[in-house]
Amino acid sequence: MNTTSSSRRAGRAGNGEWLESWNPEDTDSWDKGLAWRTLWISTFTLTLCFTSWFLASAIAPKLTNLGFDLSTSQLYWLTAMPGLAGGLMRLIWMVLPPIMGTRKMVTLTTVLLLLPVVGWGIFVQDPTTPFWVLLSLSFLSGIGGGAFSGFMPSTSYFFPRRLQGTALGVQAGIGNFGVSLVQLLTPWVIGFSLIGFLGSSRPMATAPGEPPKDVWYQNAAYIYIPFIIVGAVLAWTMLRSVPVKANIRQQFDIFRNVDTWWMTLLYIMTFGTFAGLSAQFGLLMKNLYGAGNPDIVQGTGAAAQLLVDGYSVPDPVKFVFLGPLVGAAARVVFSPLTDKFGGARWTLISGIGIVVSIGFTLTALRPDTSSAAALDAGFDRFLWGMLAIFLFSGIGNASTFKQMPMIFERRQAGGVIGWTAAIAAFGPFFFGIGLTIMSPSAFYLVGLAFAVLCVVVTWQRYARPGAPKPS
């Protein structure tokens, strides 16, 4: 019986890049080993895509400390541009899986990551680099963001519906760890030389009153090059492609389905929030409670006594990795629960949690600089509120990706996953622009109202008893 099963799988697999036929719902013919191998290799490369996508958010907060002459608005633009580029590129990547196939798409995408990574490594060493060059590198970082809308649909082709919540949650969740990884590794890898010919050290200003320290900031980018090369080789040599017949025009039939638009709103609430806050967390912390707030480091009167009274100015690089880490972990942990209990109820929990967390964080967006104790208390509320938002957005990231394969048939589900991911990827851009043109409090109030709307949609359409599309 094992021999028959093996031969059946071999016959369906074919000998080339493209599988001859593939039906994961048929347990007798489904090649479980190939499916999971595809998941792990594409997840490894997707993690690298996210590190590349959020490299600017890890580098930008310290550029002025390295001698770059950049305004606060320009720094927000550097962290916002990958979101704009990622969203635009996801509109391209979402149609690639049926056309290019998993093998070519994953390999080519991984190789393209070298463009922004090598570029950042070179130009971060020169403080005279024009702003437009840095902005161009931020745009190229969007390649890593675009990949998500290709990788996730192609992975969904390999798994039966009963396992798609787990498979997509694991891939997206571990991929999301790339955001936390780049922010966690950056302050460590810049502290020593990797290889001499990669560049020399530069002095970087630290906290007020402390002397500059030598750093190799190019390491923040160069450290990923060997892993990118390994990922590209693994993808080319070990991946296969599922035959899915759908040209670009056929893939656009998803827009005639109203649930495409409702799920887009919900994924903006979850992943748009996760990505937007991941990109802006460091700058927001710096400008509210750190060296970017002049009332703290250059104030007069009571504010001038803050440092004397014992207020420790937080270094964003020591905290910003926590948010993406919490969000990514929640996506991985809750994905199997969405397979067990359904996605809609977890999306509802996610939305309610986001509403409450935003409301709590709002109380900390106007720092009280009357005393060090008050400022410390405000920072604690800000940090815990932000981590709560990340937690519930991560839960929603898992649950929405369980819902989509249940609401749509297989080909359309892949397209909807790609489309919703593309629109939500604009999160870093809109968060960056929003925080540039309005106060943090006003911006969070807008986010609160939007989250309330999404909770109502989730309840009415998917989660209530007798809902039109229970999922």
Side-chain angles (χ1 to χ4, degrees):
M1 184 173 180
N2 289 338
T3 304
T4 303
S5 179
S6 299
S7 62
R8 184 183 297 151
R9 289 177 181 177
R12 297 203 176 210
N15 298 316
E17 172 193 346
W18 291 88
L19 301 169
E20 289 182 0
S21 61
W22 185 260
N23 180 15
E25 304 299 338
D26 182 354
T27 56
D28 290 333
S29 65
W30 179 49
D31 190 340
K32 181 179 179 181
L34 174 60
W36 285 100
R37 183 171 76 241
T38 301
L39 174 68
W40 294 123
I41 293 174
S42 57
T43 296
F44 173 68
T45 54
L46 183 63
T47 304
L48 295 171
C49 289
F50 270 88
T51 60
S52 171
W53 191 23
F54 281 84
L55 192 57
S57 71
I59 290 176
K62 292 295 185 182
L63 286 178
T64 53
N65 300 66
L66 290 167
F68 286 79
D69 185 16
L70 299 169
S71 67
T72 299
S73 177
Q74 287 175 319
L75 291 175
Y76 273 125
W77 268 103
L78 288 180
T79 55
M81 183 55 70
L84 174 62
L88 292 174
M89 292 184 188
R90 284 189 179 190
L91 296 175
I92 299 172
W93 258 261
M94 64 175 281
V95 301
L96 295 183
I99 298 171
M100 293 185 67
T102 299
R103 181 191 182 196
K104 288 190 180 73
M105 180 193 65
V106 174
T107 302
L108 177 61
T109 303
T110 306
V111 171
L112 288 175
L113 297 180
L114 292 171
L115 293 176
V117 169
V118 173
W120 277 115
I122 292 173
F123 289 104
V124 78
Q125 301 179 63
D126 183 8
T128 64
T129 300
F131 174 65
W132 70 266
V133 173
L134 299 177
L135 200 61
S136 298
L137 291 173
S138 288
F139 186 86
L140 287 174
S141 294
I143 294 171
F148 190 86
S149 283
F151 284 35
M152 297 298 289
S154 71
T155 297
S156 73
Y157 298 154
F158 285 86
F159 286 87
R161 284 188 173 187
R162 62 184 175 85
L163 291 177
Q164 288 206 12
T166 298
L168 296 180
V170 167
Q171 179 167 56
I174 295 178
N176 290 167
F177 276 123
V179 183
S180 185
L181 180 68
V182 71
Q183 295 171 339
L184 177 63
L185 283 184
T186 296
W188 176 66
V189 299
I190 64 174
F192 54 86
S193 175
L194 288 177
I195 303 176
F197 68 82
L198 293 179
S200 58
S201 65
R202 291 193 56 83
M204 182 179 73
T206 55
E210 296 183 8
K213 64 178 181 179
D214 289 336
V215 296
W216 290 260
Y217 224 72
Q218 63 272 20
N219 293 358
Y222 285 152
I223 190 69
Y224 302 106
I225 292 177
F227 299 98
I228 291 173
I229 295 173
V230 169
V233 172
L234 288 175
W236 183 253
T237 57
M238 300 187 70
L239 294 184
R240 309 289 290 280
S241 298
V242 174
V244 177
K245 296 181 180 180
N247 58 34
I248 294 178
R249 182 178 180 181
Q250 289 171 325
Q251 293 185 61
F252 284 174
D253 64 359
I254 61 173
F255 299 120
R256 293 196 293 270
N257 190 325
V258 68
D259 288 296
T260 298
W261 303 105
W262 290 131
M263 290 308 301
T264 300
L265 280 181
L266 300 187
Y267 200 57
I268 291 173
M269 175 187 69
T270 61
F271 185 78
T273 298
F274 171 84
L277 288 184
S278 295
Q280 305 301 334
F281 193 10
L283 279 176
L284 192 59
M285 183 183 296
K286 179 180 179 180
N287 292 332
L288 289 175
Y289 289 94
N293 186 336
D295 287 338
I296 294 175
V297 296
Q298 300 173 3
T300 59
Q305 295 296 313
L306 287 171
L307 299 179
V308 177
D309 292 342
Y311 177 68
S312 294
V313 178
D315 184 352
V317 299
K318 295 181 179 179
F319 295 96
V320 293
F321 76 93
L322 290 172
L325 180 65
V326 169
R331 190 168 198 166
V332 174
V333 170
F334 281 86
S335 290
L337 296 177
T338 66
D339 275 335
K340 185 174 182 179
F341 298 108
R345 66 179 63 183
W346 286 109
T347 301
L348 184 66
I349 292 171
S350 167
I352 294 172
I354 289 174
V355 168
V356 174
S357 302
I358 292 177
F360 178 80
T361 309
L362 271 166
T363 65
L365 296 181
R366 293 180 179 176
D368 181 357
T369 59
S370 62
S371 70
L375 203 54
D376 278 326
F379 176 74
D380 288 342
R381 290 199 309 276
F382 170 76
L383 180 61
W384 285 110
M386 291 288 283
L387 294 182
I389 297 173
F390 275 110
L391 170 66
F392 287 107
S393 67
I395 294 172
N397 287 338
S399 60
T400 50
F401 267 42
K402 172 61 179 179
Q403 287 183 262
M404 285 181 264
M406 303 303 294
I407 296 171
F408 304 91
E409 57 95 3
R410 180 171 298 276
R411 179 186 61 78
Q412 283 195 325
V416 174
I417 287 171
W419 163 257
T420 57
I423 300 305
F426 287 109
F429 176 71
F430 287 119
F431 272 63
I433 298 304
L435 290 170
T436 300
I437 63 177
M438 66 181 77
S439 70
S441 295
F443 183 75
Y444 272 61
L445 282 172
V446 173
L448 180 65
F450 180 74
V452 169
L453 170 65
C454 290
V455 168
V456 173
V457 170
T458 302
W459 174 255
Q460 288 293 330
R461 185 71 179 172
Y462 306 111
R464 66 180 172 86
K469 289 287 183 175
S471 53

